[in-house]
Amino acid sequence: MAGMRPILFSLGSTNFFASPIFAGLSAILAALYIWAYRDPKALDDEAYWNLMLWLSVGTLGAGLAAYFVLYGGGWESNLAFISRHHRVKGGAFYGNYWGAMATVWLFARVWKLPFRPLADRVATAAPLALALMRFGCIQHGCCFGRPSSLPWALVFTDPRSALPNSLLGVPLHPSQVYEALGNLAIFCVLHFVVFKRIRAGRLPEGFAFLASTTLYAVLRLTLGHWRGSDPGIFTPWGLTTAQCIALMSLAGCAVLARRWRKA
């Protein structure tokens, strides 16, 4: 398959890149899902719109901050890029995700709402939103895969894409498609299986959040075999920065699962 469209459209001298546009669409999709499946008694209209405002700031800010510190060569390199190009280079999904969870926790404390049901809904919306966002990454060329000889490999040719010039014209694993499909599968498990058991009382509230975090961590650890984009600044034992965060996420989920089962 041949390459995509990193710039969806332009207005005058302003180019609108695919990745941030799809990121915005994915945020809208997540917000619609949370609205459709919220409990109005636990999260009324006022609380919902305030939560969306908090999440828009916390999720975006944490994603940009995580990329600024952990990717693109680190904060010094990113600061130089911003000075030259007057824009940020990208964001990091794990920053988005844990920024969202931290925001939900703080929101629940301030509004005196239970954390676990809110975390369940936001964590279920996350893989649905990421599945859409990764199709923006395909257009933009970010989060690209390693070279591949498979018949479904992607070839990017537009020099405005996020790929290094050395990979233009080279067949690559469509790692963005792998991740999008993996996240759709995670969403289906959460929405159709985990929540059914929570509603039936067979699992305690909070386990959709734990399942989402665990399943995505496993997916991200697996994708490391085919993903060729920026590994981040922490690469111990050949792991990427995201894989290190995935392992820490798994450890945290194990601790919380044991604690919440006893509660």
Side-chain angles (χ1 to χ4, degrees):
M1 290 187 290
M4 307 296 178
R5 234 179 128 178
I7 297 175
L8 292 184
F9 60 92
S10 300
L11 292 177
S13 60
T14 303
N15 295 322
F16 291 85
F17 285 87
S19 186
I21 290 175
F22 272 81
L25 292 174
S26 69
I28 294 172
L29 179 62
L32 290 174
Y33 174 81
I34 295 169
W35 171 267
Y37 292 99
R38 70 194 171 101
D39 179 358
K41 295 179 180 178
L43 190 69
D44 61 22
D45 290 2
E46 181 183 4
Y48 168 82
W49 287 111
N50 276 280
L51 176 60
M52 293 303 103
L53 177 61
W54 284 46
L55 283 173
S56 64
V57 175
T59 305
L60 178 61
L64 293 175
Y67 186 93
F68 184 79
V69 174
L70 300 175
Y71 293 91
W75 70 269
E76 290 181 327
S77 176
N78 283 312
L79 192 60
F81 180 89
I82 293 171
S83 298
R84 289 195 306 270
H85 299 281
H86 308 292
R87 63 179 177 88
V88 295
K89 191 183 295 186
F93 174 73
Y94 256 133
N96 295 138
Y97 183 78
W98 285 114
M101 291 301 107
T103 300
V104 169
W105 179 84
L106 182 60
F107 181 85
R109 293 289 297 269
V110 172
W111 281 72
K112 296 180 172 53
L113 296 172
F115 165 72
R116 292 193 215 173
L118 290 178
D120 280 342
R121 282 304 174 201
V122 174
T124 302
L128 178 64
L130 183 57
L132 176 60
M133 188 168 71
R134 286 297 179 236
F135 283 102
C137 295
I138 296 172
Q139 298 289 335
H140 197 182
C142 56
C143 307
F144 54 86
R146 296 181 180 181
S148 169
S149 59
L150 294 171
W152 56 81
L154 284 175
V155 178
F156 295 87
T157 57
D158 194 323
R160 298 171 299 179
S161 67
L163 273 79
N165 289 335
S166 60
L167 290 178
L168 292 176
V170 177
L172 305 173
H173 275 288
S175 56
Q176 307 96 327
V177 178
Y178 300 161
E179 189 168 356
L181 295 177
N183 275 285
L184 282 177
I186 291 171
F187 169 76
C188 289
V189 169
L190 296 173
H191 184 75
F192 296 107
V193 179
V194 177
F195 267 110
K196 183 177 180 180
R197 296 190 175 190
I198 291 175
R199 286 192 295 269
R202 296 166 62 187
L203 285 174
E205 290 180 324
F207 265 67
F209 158 59
L210 296 180
S212 179
T213 307
T214 298
L215 291 172
Y216 181 73
V218 172
L219 175 64
R220 197 61 187 265
L221 286 166
T222 305
L223 284 173
H225 296 291
W226 301 294
R227 187 163 167 156
S229 54
D230 186 356
I233 63 174
F234 294 115
T235 56
W237 309 295
L239 298 172
T240 65
T241 298
Q243 287 176 315
C244 292
I245 298 173
L247 289 173
M248 291 187 287
S249 299
L250 288 173
C253 284
V255 172
L256 286 176
R258 190 169 184 178
R259 181 181 300 175
W260 289 352
R261 277 191 179 275
K262 293 179 179 179

